[in-house]
């Protein structure tokens, strides 16, 4: 891979940013595999030669979009994350960062979700490293929260990916004119995530008792057939 | 559209079922647009002429897969749903139905998520009708639950699509050998959905008080900056 690929300054290149933004929109609309570099050329009004200064293959372009998303998310997190805050507040910050980024970059969100397996080889591995780092941030926070705040023993992977599922599914249904604005969307989603949709005290009766008498997470009788 | 398309007996046709199953796998692996009817022919070991007895275009094939998913889900719901149960138990049943169907049909799940906007015209409209009917089932249940069980005033669309998000995101992360088996996966996910990940009583302190003094859902001070 040529050295320019990993230069940390290239992300500041306005032109590259424009290419990535426009390409993400086209990938989101047509799908990665149906998009040609010629389509990108037409939409960006740049020549093929001009484009190939920024990337060597269409796959590299997809890689650059995904890389930029994860690097931006991680950078924003590094700036915003305050280790002095409690886990709940940091989870809120993480979700705020994630949601606001994607609500302002819905095309990128769709591309990340749909073209998750379109990268191969080295590109794929580099993205996996970033993705694992990003998932680990929130997984560690959720684990901390569950440890310190009387967690309900929900499997950590279920707890982690359910949060991502709630947030990432947004691109399929969210309509800015119809739905809550970002700040409230986040409030409602995090309320649901932290406290559930119904009043715990009332709902608890047979459930948490059963769960709290068990020692392993497998002993929940919560959803067993009531026959 | 030829009449055979809407015949209710065609779903019982073993051969069609086999075609749909194999096509869903190939669409999931290669993407709808990159798959040719010739690919389907090779994988099903059927001639093109044989295939075209069952569908007229590749788009119709995608439509038949999506239609079959929604019709199956709705049929299973009609059989399982018991109006005498309380809303929480019916939501559990709905989620059980949805999750078990998709965990056993992960390719279909991916195709439903990724090719959501690949259908056009009449095919698209028919699927939208089924999808709306399906979403309305759970939306009505969640509304009922929130009304009867001291709901926390979470926006109904957020509450509904967060549940779908949690469930539908599974195809991106679930590994049968690593993760909880279906019954426990469901328990944990529904626990999270109904009660949240942390102990309500403890977490409630400044939050629910603030929420319960407000009259509109907009008055939650829950996630406002603590500065």
């Amino acid at each position: 891979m040529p050295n320019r690929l990993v230069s940390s300054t290239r992300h500041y290149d306005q032109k590259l940013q424009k290419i990535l933004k426009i390409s993400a929109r086209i990938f989101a609309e047509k799908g990665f595999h149906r998009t040609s570099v010629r389509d990108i050329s037409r939409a960006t009004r740049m020549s093929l030669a001009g484009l190939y200064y920024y990337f060597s293959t269409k796959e590299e372009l997809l890689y650059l979009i995904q890389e930029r998303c994860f690097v931006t998310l991680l950078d924003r997190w590094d700036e915003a994350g305050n280790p002095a805050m409690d886990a709940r507040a940091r989870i809120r910050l993480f979700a705020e960062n994630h949601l606001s980024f994607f609500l302002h970059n819905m095309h990128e969100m769709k591309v990340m979700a749909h073209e998750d397996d379109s990268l191969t080889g080295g590109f794929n591995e580099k993205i996996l490293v970033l993705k694992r780092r990003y998932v680990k941030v929130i997984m560690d926070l959720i684990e901390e929260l569950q440890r310190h705040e009387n967690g309900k023993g929900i499997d950590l992977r279920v707890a982690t990916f359910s949060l991502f599922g709630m947030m990432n599914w947004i691109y399929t249904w969210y309509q800015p004119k119809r739905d809550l604005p970002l700040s409230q969307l986040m409030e409602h989603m995090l309320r649901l995530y932290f406290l559930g949709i119904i009043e715990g005290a009332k709902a608890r009766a047979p459930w948490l008792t059963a769960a709290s008498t068990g020692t392993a997470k497998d002993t929940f009788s919560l959803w067993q057939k009531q026959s």
Side-chain angles (χ1 to χ4, degrees), chain A residues 14 18 21 25 32 46 52 54 58 61 63 65 82 99 106 108 115-116 143 147 150 157 165 175-176 185-186 214:
Chain A
Q14 296 280 325
K18 183 185 145 198
K21 189 89 196 155
R25 177 173 57 75
F32 171 70
M46 288 175 67
Y52 283 125
Y54 292 95
K58 192 178 69 164
L61 182 58
Y63 162 76
I65 292 169
N82 180 347
L99 271 185
M106 295 273 255
E108 282 77 1
E115 309 302 347
D116 187 44
E143 193 175 26
R147 206 169 47 235
N150 210 356
R157 278 172 57 85
Q175 299 169 30
L185 175 68
M186 205 140 45

Side-chain angles (χ1 to χ4, degrees), chain A residues 16-24 61 64-65 68 108:
Chain A
L16 176 63
Q17 290 211 17
K18 183 185 145 198
I19 295 169
L20 297 184
K21 189 89 196 155
I22 292 174
S23 304
L61 182 58
L64 289 171
I65 292 169
R68 182 163 169 250
E108 282 77 1

Side-chain angles (χ1 to χ4, degrees), chain A residues 10-102:
Chain A
R10 62 182 289 138
H11 282 299
Y12 299 99
D13 185 325
Q14 296 280 325
K15 204 144 195 177
L16 176 63
Q17 290 211 17
K18 183 185 145 198
I19 295 169
L20 297 184
K21 189 89 196 155
I22 292 174
S23 304
R25 177 173 57 75
I26 302 177
F27 288 160
E29 284 165 5
K30 289 188 72 163
F32 171 70
H33 294 291
R34 281 204 302 168
T35 302
S36 66
V37 176
R38 205 165 287 278
D39 294 330
I40 310 283
S41 162
R42 209 171 296 123
T44 55
R45 297 174 184 229
M46 288 175 67
S47 67
L48 289 177
L51 286 175
Y52 283 125
Y53 172 78
Y54 292 95
F55 57 88
S56 305
T57 61
K58 192 178 69 164
E59 191 180 352
E60 189 187 331
L61 182 58
L62 177 61
Y63 162 76
L64 289 171
I65 292 169
Q66 298 202 1
E67 186 211 29
R68 182 163 169 250
C69 284
F70 280 117
V71 167
T72 306
L73 285 165
L74 283 162
D75 280 354
R76 283 165 50 132
W77 171 252
D78 283 344
E79 280 166 30
N82 180 347
M85 294 170 109
D86 74 8
R88 198 168 55 209
R90 278 179 289 152
I91 290 173
R92 194 197 73 193
L93 261 180
F94 183 93
E96 230 169 65
N97 183 33
H98 187 86
L99 271 185
S100 67
F101 178 76
F102 278 122

Side-chain angles (χ1 to χ4, degrees), chain A residues 92 95-96 99-100 103-104 166-167 170 173-194:
Chain A
R92 194 197 73 193
E96 230 169 65
L99 271 185
S100 67
L103 275 186
H104 292 103
M166 288 165 65
M167 297 193 294
I170 284 174
W173 63 271
Y174 185 74
Q175 299 169 30
K177 286 185 185 159
R178 176 178 190 182
D179 288 301
L180 300 176
L182 172 63
S183 62
Q184 286 176 43
L185 175 68
M186 205 140 45
E187 271 180 37
H188 284 240
M189 212 166 249
L190 285 173
R191 248 178 113 73
L192 169 59
Y193 187 70
F194 286 145

